[in-house]
């Protein structure tokens, strides 16, 4: 059973795949060559599913950070006899800079450990287990390292260190004195590809420098945000870039699968895909983080992935693979015990088959943020977005599974109706670009009908709040989106009472917000950081800036030592839960910081309601 807390990990990325490294210097998660590829190291989910550790023997103190403006991880180990510094990174392409970062990543992990003071013994343990631990490869010493064969890839560990091979595990120890250094790299090549060779130490060092320079140059172009929580916003922009699959522009919800929403529970999902649901919030965050190119790439990916579905009368899919794949069929990996025994471990995600009507609003809001409003768009994009608006207009009265992807019966979720209103609201603004001026009158009429339904059926007088579903008293944090998307202003008394009801009934003792109190699976999940940032944002829009700041700080306090946010927080222990790091949480941080900055500059909401 895996033992390390989720918050003990730091993420590495080459903008194609990701690794998680523990505070003890162990790579316990690595997928090559894509985020959604089978893991080579998966000790995160099972003790026997593979790892690669480098650490001093008898370390007594550990500290770590990302090198400034990068995602190159620096871990400092101190022992009674000396100090060592470990650098970890996934290699970017040679001399890649700025927007090009990640376009030619070689698929290699780089590690370098240096003794900076005194002397100490370094232990290395290398245990690759491809296919999520199913494969125990055959290891062979080669000049300059080790070759491991088994499964779909040949793994080459490049190192000058002598390692003892026992079965499918290699171990070694070496004494380092001040100034001594060990360079290591791991690369994966398809078994049918060109026979790989180990990298010499100078190449590892050069690529490590290149990777740091690449991240630094990207940050220089994108660190434009100034205001409250400036460093956290800029760092979150880097995290979103780290979760971007550069070949397509897709952004994964998280780089991991099956990290649970409750310890020992069954809410264990694969998040290594792109959700349309996240689109508009993601694009707002990218705009704040000055990621103009990334905004365009992400929207282009969404439009391309979803093309032709509406033509055939099918529902717009709620999520896609990072290459645009549509079939994300879910299966269980029974040989893995799960993080702290939280089984089952799943790959794929069955929610791809669900009907979620909110996606039309999220996609049209993404287009509204990204595309010109008064210049006709290319015919395929124009046709697709018109279809999205028409689908929202015709389908808004249907029940669906809702934003939280409930696996029970379809219901009339308020958030889904709201986002259908958003779809038509944004389509009306975009009508000249969509060559849809002839549809504006009908869209306005339907938009008004949706508003009337939400205001009459979505607000529960006894609760004093907009609720989860029509005719229900149950609260849901997604009602906080009403002012955030401009449906009602923060000054509206119904918005204020909804915000207060959620703050009173869905907030725990740490000031963090639950999504709801119960659902179709059970109410054993933690609080959601995204929902907590939504509350901060909504409070800012109601003019309660001091409270907004406090809620923001409550959420931010659950970032780990290298600034990474989980999806959820255990209500009993305060421990991080869910797939990690979570894009939605970092998106929430960016958007809430921007909203608080705007409220401080102009406290009164300025956006009018529209019929």
């Amino acid at each position: 059973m895996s033992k390390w807390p989720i918050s003990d990990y730091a993420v590495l990325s080459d903008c194609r795949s990701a690794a998680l490294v523990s505070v003890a210097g162990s790579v316990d998660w690595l997928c090559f060559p894509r985020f959604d590829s089978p893991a080579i190291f998966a000790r995160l989910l099972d003790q026997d599913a593979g790892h690669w550790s480098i650490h001093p023997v008898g370390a007594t103190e550990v500290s770590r950070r990302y090198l400034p403006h990068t995602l190159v991880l620096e871990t400092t180990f101190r022992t009674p006899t000396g100090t060592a510094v470990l650098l970890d990174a996934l290699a970017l392409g040679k001399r890649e800079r700025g927007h090009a970062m990640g376009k030619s990543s070689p698929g290699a992990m780089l590690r370098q450990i240096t003794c900076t003071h005194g002397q100490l013994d370094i232990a290395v343990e290398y245990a690759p287990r491809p296919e999520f631990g199913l494969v125990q490869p055959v290891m062979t010493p080669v000049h300059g390292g080790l070759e491991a064969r088994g499964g779909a890839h040949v793994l080459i560990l490049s190192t000058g260190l002598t390692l003892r091979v026992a079965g499918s595990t290699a171990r070694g120890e070496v004494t380092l004195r001040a100034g001594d250094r060990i360079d290591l790299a791991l690369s994966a090549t398809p078994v049918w590809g060109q026979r790989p060779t180990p990298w010499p130490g100078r190449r590892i060092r050069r690529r490590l420098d290149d990777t740091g320079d690449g991240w630094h140059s990207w940050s220089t172009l994108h660190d434009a945000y100034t205001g409250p929580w400036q460093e956290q916003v800029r760092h979150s922009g880097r995290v979103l870039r780290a979760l971007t699959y550069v070949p397509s522009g897709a952004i994964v919800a998280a780089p991991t699968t099956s990290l649970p929403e409750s310890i020992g529970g069954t809410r264990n999902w694969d998040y290594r895909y792109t959700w349309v649901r996240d689109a508009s919030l993601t694009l707002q965050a990218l705009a704040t983080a000055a990621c103009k190119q990334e905004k365009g790439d992400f929207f282009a990916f969404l439009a391309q992935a979803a093309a032709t579905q509406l033509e055939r009368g099918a529902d717009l899919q709620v999520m896609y693979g990072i290459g645009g794949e549509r079939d994300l069929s879910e299966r269980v990996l029974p040989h893995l015990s799960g993080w702290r025994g939280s089984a089952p471990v799943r790959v794929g995600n069955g929610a791809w088959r669900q009907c979620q009507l909110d996606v039309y609003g999220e996609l049209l809001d993404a287009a509204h943020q990204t595309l010109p409003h008064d210049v006709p768009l290319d015919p395929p994009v124009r046709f697709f977005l018109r279809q999205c608006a028409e689908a929202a207009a015709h389908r808004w009265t249907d029940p669906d599974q809702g934003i939280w992807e409930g696996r029970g019966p379809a219901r009339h979720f308020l958030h889904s109706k709201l986002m259908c209103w958003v779809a038509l609201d944004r389509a009306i603004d975009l009508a000249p670009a969509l060559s849809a001026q002839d549809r504006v009158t009908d869209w306005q009429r339907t938009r008004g009908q949706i508003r009337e339904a939400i205001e009459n059926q979505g607000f529960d007088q006894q609760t004093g709040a907009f609720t989860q579903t029509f005719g229900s008293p149950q609260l849901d944090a997604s009602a906080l989106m009403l002012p955030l998307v401009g449906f009602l202003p923060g000054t509206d008394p119904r918005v204020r009472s909804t915000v207060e009801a959620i703050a009173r009934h869905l907030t725990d003792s740490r000031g963090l917000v639950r999504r709801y109190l119960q659902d179709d699976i059970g109410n054993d999940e933690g609080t959601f950081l995204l929902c907590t940032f939504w509350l901060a944002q909504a409070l800012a829009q109601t003019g309660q800036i001091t409270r907004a700041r406090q809620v923001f700080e409550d959420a931010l306090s659950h970032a780990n030592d290298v600034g990474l946010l989980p999806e959820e927080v255990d209500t009993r222990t305060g421990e991080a839960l869910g797939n990690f790091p979570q894009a939605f949480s970092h998106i929430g941080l960016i958007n809430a910081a921007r909203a608080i900055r705007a409220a401080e500059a102009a406290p009164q909401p300025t956006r009018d309601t529209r019929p």
Side-chain angles (χ1 to χ4, degrees):
M1 184 187 304
S2 56
K3 63 177 181 178
W4 291 104
I6 291 170
S7 60
D8 276 4
Y9 287 95
V11 71
L12 308 176
S13 172
D14 59 2
C15 302
R16 292 169 180 259
S17 56
L20 293 187
V21 185
S22 77
V23 71
S26 181
V27 183
D28 290 346
W29 182 258
L30 175 63
C31 295
F32 271 156
R34 299 183 2 162
F35 292 106
D36 57 354
S37 297
I40 293 170
F41 304 120
R43 185 158 69 171
L44 185 67
L45 298 176
D46 191 288
Q47 191 66 24
D48 298 325
H51 67 281
W52 179 19
S53 64
I54 301 175
H55 61 88
V57 176
T60 58
E61 182 183 340
V62 182
S63 61
R64 60 183 180 169
R65 62 169 186 155
Y66 287 115
L67 295 183
H69 313 296
T70 79
L71 287 188
V72 176
L73 180 66
E74 178 190 81
T75 305
T76 301
F77 299 97
R78 293 177 177 84
T79 76
T81 61
T83 301
V85 174
L86 174 65
L87 295 180
D88 285 315
L90 288 183
L92 299 175
K94 186 182 297 183
R95 289 186 290 278
E96 286 184 337
R97 300 292 184 270
H99 295 304
M101 187 183 73
K103 290 189 177 297
S104 60
S105 300
M109 180 163 184
L110 312 174
R111 313 196 75 182
Q112 179 188 89
I113 188 161
T114 304
C115 178
T116 59
H117 170 74
Q119 71 174 46
L120 31 64
D121 296 327
I122 302 297
V124 177
E125 186 166 278
Y126 170 63
R129 300 292 185 267
E131 304 284 339
F132 296 104
L134 280 177
V135 177
Q136 297 202 15
V138 176
M139 284 194 188
T140 306
V142 295
H143 180 69
L146 287 175
E147 179 182 274
R149 288 184 173 269
H153 292 84
V154 179
L155 304 177
I156 291 293
L157 177 66
S158 304
T159 178
L161 181 65
T162 300
L163 299 176
R164 305 179 306 278
V165 176
S168 296
T169 301
R171 298 179 177 86
E173 287 190 11
V174 63
T175 299
L176 298 184
R177 295 173 176 82
D180 291 345
R181 177 186 60 225
I182 303 173
D183 300 303
L184 306 97
L186 176 65
S187 55
T189 303
V191 292
W192 59 86
Q194 184 177 0
R195 183 179 179 86
T197 57
W199 291 13
R202 63 181 179 279
R203 183 181 182 188
I204 297 171
R205 294 189 292 274
R206 187 166 61 245
R207 297 310 287 270
L208 193 56
D209 289 342
D210 264 347
T211 298
D213 290 345
W215 278 107
H216 197 279
S217 69
W218 186 90
S219 296
T220 299
L221 291 175
H222 296 86
D223 284 355
Y225 174 84
T226 57
W229 304 287
Q230 180 170 299
E231 290 309 311
Q232 290 87 346
V233 168
R234 292 178 174 184
H235 181 58
S236 290
R238 281 189 288 276
V239 173
L240 292 182
R241 179 63 175 187
L243 300 180
T244 300
Y245 182 63
V246 163
S248 69
I251 298 176
V252 296
T256 58
T257 181
S258 299
L259 292 180
E261 296 176 16
S262 63
I263 297 174
T266 61
R267 295 171 172 273
N268 315 320
W269 316 115
D270 193 345
Y271 274 22
R272 299 173 299 155
Y273 307 113
T274 290
W275 270 253
V276 176
R277 177 193 66 200
D278 303 359
S280 60
L281 296 176
T282 300
L283 289 168
Q284 290 172 21
L286 291 174
T288 302
C291 302
K292 183 177 180 180
Q293 179 68 40
E294 289 75 7
K295 282 180 59 179
D297 291 346
F298 185 45
F299 179 76
F301 164 78
L302 290 174
Q304 175 63 30
T308 76
Q309 284 191 302
L310 294 177
E311 289 183 59
R312 297 182 288 102
D315 291 327
L316 183 64
Q317 199 159 303
V318 304
M319 68 178 75
Y320 297 92
I322 56 176
E325 299 85 359
R326 295 181 181 178
D327 186 345
L328 307 178
S329 295
E330 185 175 294
R331 63 189 177 94
V332 170
L333 302 180
H335 65 284
L336 296 178
S337 62
W339 182 80
R340 293 195 183 170
S342 303
V345 171
R346 297 179 173 97
V347 292
N349 195 310
W352 76 277
R353 296 181 180 275
Q354 289 187 352
C355 172
Q356 295 176 31
L357 298 177
D358 59 307
V359 294
Y360 301 111
E362 276 121 13
L363 212 153
L364 273 156
D365 193 51
H368 190 263
Q369 296 177 52
T370 306
L371 304 175
H373 295 187
D374 54 358
V375 178
L377 302 171
D378 291 340
V381 175
R382 186 167 69 224
F383 181 64
F384 171 65
L385 292 176
R386 284 187 58 157
Q387 286 181 310
C388 287
E390 297 292 355
H394 287 95
R395 298 290 306 281
W396 75 270
T397 57
D398 294 346
D400 72 341
Q401 304 306 129
I403 182 177
W404 307 127
E405 299 173 357
R407 299 205 172 189
R411 292 186 284 167
H412 290 282
F413 287 96
L414 179 140
H415 179 267
S416 298
K417 313 300 185 188
L418 172 65
M419 296 312 294
C420 286
W421 179 91
V422 169
L424 296 175
D425 183 73
R426 303 324 190 241
I428 291 165
D429 271 0
L430 285 167
L434 303 180
S435 299
Q437 291 90 334
D438 60 320
R439 299 296 302 140
V440 167
T441 299
D442 285 343
W443 287 347
Q444 287 174 332
R445 181 172 57 252
T446 305
R447 181 181 65 176
Q449 293 169 352
I450 300 173
R451 171 177 288 281
E452 182 179 1
I454 290 174
E455 293 186 345
N456 292 339
Q457 301 178 60
F459 188 84
D460 182 73
Q461 294 293 340
Q462 184 173 356
T463 308
F466 287 98
T467 55
Q468 184 180 71
T469 58
F470 283 3
S472 165
Q474 182 168 321
L475 292 170
D476 192 299
S478 63
L480 293 168
M481 292 299 294
L482 286 159
L484 305 191
V485 299
F487 182 85
L488 289 171
T491 53
D492 189 288
R494 294 165 298 176
V495 168
R496 288 179 173 271
S497 62
T498 299
V499 171
E500 290 305 317
I502 289 171
R504 185 166 60 252
H505 296 296
L506 294 186
T507 301
D508 74 352
S509 60
R510 292 181 173 81
L512 306 182
V513 179
R514 295 179 183 272
R515 295 188 292 181
Y516 37 64
L517 291 179
Q518 62 184 41
D519 75 347
D520 304 305
I521 299 177
N523 60 353
D524 58 349
E525 68 176 20
T527 49
F528 256 62
L529 289 185
L530 171 67
C531 297
T532 308
F533 285 120
W534 280 352
L535 178 59
Q537 194 171 349
L539 286 167
Q541 289 195 265
T542 63
Q544 301 178 75
I545 299 173
T546 301
R547 286 182 68 192
R549 278 184 159 272
Q550 183 58 58
V551 171
F552 188 102
E553 290 288 352
D554 289 340
L556 185 61
S557 70
H558 291 277
N560 72 357
D561 58 319
V562 289
L564 301 179
L565 291 167
E567 179 181 30
E568 300 186 28
V569 175
D570 190 295
T571 56
R572 297 176 299 277
T573 66
E575 188 171 9
L577 294 173
N579 285 302
F580 182 81
Q582 179 72 210
F584 237 170
S585 297
H586 285 277
I587 289 165
L589 181 155
I590 293 171
N591 291 339
R594 184 195 67 247
I596 292 171
R597 180 184 67 176
E600 289 176 334
Q604 296 301 316
T606 57
R607 181 167 182 165
D608 296 330
T609 62
R610 287 182 266 188

